[in-house]
Amino acid sequence: MSDELTLLAEAGAAAVVAAMATDLWQGTRDGVLGLFRRDAPDSAAPVGARLDEGAALVRSSAAPDDVRRALAGIWSRELHELLRRAPACRVPLARLAAEVDGAFASGRAAVVLEQNNTARDSGTVFAVQHGDIHTTRGAGGATRRGPDDGPQ
């Protein structure tokens, strides 16, 4: 039975950290919180805070996969303890892990990147996350945008 719990906890942890910084995150986070609420209703706030801290680390890291690997071990232990205390969480955790895995396998999961750009003192920011941006200076220093540059 312990091997089964360990494998399920590892699969759950892998799904949780894989979903961090993707469009699957909010649903995955809510699912994990629901599991912990089943065990101890008062545990949701601290668990939610730890989940949010981990997701923030993944989002802000230059090496998000390294952060995910480190967090996977932590969440594997957390989920193993949860499953030991609350065996009724096994099926919902397995379902959550399968949903996340299925979303990645089918290509339905997308990484969410945050970008903050600030121009000060008459500065100009030209920024793009996915694709290219092409700008040229026309007569009088006016910026002209190309047809593929998207909305102004």
Side-chain angles (χ1 to χ4, degrees):
M1 190 64 78
S2 180
D3 289 341
E4 178 187 339
L5 288 182
T6 300
L7 291 175
L8 180 53
E10 288 173 355
V16 168
V17 299
M20 290 177 173
T22 71
D23 58 349
L24 301 174
W25 177 238
Q26 194 59 52
T28 303
R29 179 188 183 280
D30 292 346
V32 171
L33 287 178
L35 294 173
F36 279 89
R37 276 190 200 103
R38 283 180 175 206
D39 176 48
D42 295 338
S43 70
V47 169
R50 289 193 304 276
L51 286 167
D52 292 340
E53 288 169 9
L57 285 172
V58 170
R59 275 193 310 274
S60 66
S61 175
D65 289 338
D66 292 342
V67 175
R68 283 186 175 100
R69 275 190 286 281
L71 291 171
I74 294 167
W75 283 105
S76 180
R77 285 187 299 279
E78 291 264 355
L79 292 171
H80 189 276
E81 285 304 307
L82 171 70
L83 295 172
R84 190 185 56 72
R85 290 188 314 267
C89 291
R90 291 177 186 173
V91 171
L93 178 59
R95 189 177 308 123
L96 179 68
E99 288 172 6
V100 171
D101 289 346
F104 279 106
S106 69
R108 291 187 327 248
V111 174
V112 177
L113 299 174
E114 293 184 17
Q115 180 173 337
N116 297 312
N117 304 295
T118 305
R120 290 189 174 83
D121 301 322
S122 301
T124 303
V125 173
F126 296 95
V128 66
Q129 282 188 324
H130 304 288
D132 298 328
I133 188 168
H134 305 280
T135 61
T136 58
R137 294 280 179 182
T143 300
R144 293 182 296 153
R145 299 171 54 84
D148 297 331
D149 292 337
Q152 290 187 342

